Amino acid sequence: MKISTKGRYGLTIMMELAMKFGEGPISLKSIAEKNQLSEHYLEQLVAPLRNAGLVKSIRGAYGGYILSKEPSQITSGDIIRILEGPISPVDFTEEDDPAKRNLWLRIRDSIAEVLDSTTLENMIVYKEEEKKDSYMFYI
């Protein structure tokens, strides 16, 4: 399964909104400029997110978008499913070999578990841990 720019940029929008949660609306223009993305493309991505109830639009001179829920209540799985569709590494049929079918189901379920257990809050507070397993060589 490969996440397209729709999913990647959709996560970018949602993470930007999560970082400013409670501070008022954020314009797509500011998100586009900060991340060097096309504002027009972001407009196309935010529509399904708004229709799904994950974001709200605020009209006016100081308008923009806000999250409709707290960042801890929105998962990356919610966002990816809205923008990319169902999570499935392959299109398999009932005729597939049972062992292969089981493999595809386990892969799908593993991907879903990671996406559904990772909230926007997890993503905005994430700090890459320094590599703790440094190697020591003795001669």
Side-chain angles (χ1 to χ4, degrees):
M1 176 179 164
K2 188 168 185 172
I3 306 289
S4 72
T5 57
K6 288 165 81 174
R8 294 185 2 242
Y9 294 173
L11 275 174
T12 299
I13 293 169
M14 297 298 282
M15 288 174 67
E16 291 288 339
L17 296 178
M19 285 187 272
K20 303 289 186 183
F21 186 72
E23 296 179 16
I26 308 297
S27 71
L28 287 183
K29 182 176 183 168
S30 67
I31 295 172
E33 288 173 356
K34 179 179 177 187
N35 294 280
Q36 299 174 344
L37 301 172
S38 161
E39 181 181 358
H40 179 69
Y41 190 43
L42 297 187
E43 288 170 357
Q44 294 173 9
L45 298 179
V46 81
L49 295 170
R50 186 183 66 242
N51 292 339
L54 294 186
V55 299
K56 294 179 184 174
S57 59
I58 309 294
R59 293 181 172 249
Y62 299 101
Y65 292 89
I66 59 172
L67 294 180
S68 60
K69 304 178 206 173
E70 292 187 19
S72 62
Q73 297 176 325
I74 301 173
T75 68
S76 56
D78 297 332
I79 300 160
I80 296 299
R81 283 185 187 90
I82 290 164
L83 297 173
E84 299 281 353
I87 297 165
S88 183
V90 296
D91 292 328
F92 54 88
T93 65
E94 298 296 327
E95 301 161 4
D96 274 339
D97 177 272
K100 289 191 300 186
R101 179 178 166 76
N102 181 54
L103 174 65
W104 306 145
L105 290 171
R106 288 180 24 233
I107 291 169
R108 180 202 62 196
D109 294 346
S110 296
I111 293 169
E113 196 281 320
V114 169
L115 291 172
D116 292 338
S117 65
T118 306
T119 66
L120 283 176
E121 184 176 51
N122 299 139
M123 294 180 73
I124 63 173
V125 300
Y126 175 82
K127 289 187 173 65
E128 193 168 3
E129 293 180 22
E130 289 185 39
K131 213 170 190 178
K132 295 180 181 176
D133 297 332
S134 58
Y135 295 102
M136 180 69 72
F137 295 99
Y138 296 95
I139 300 178

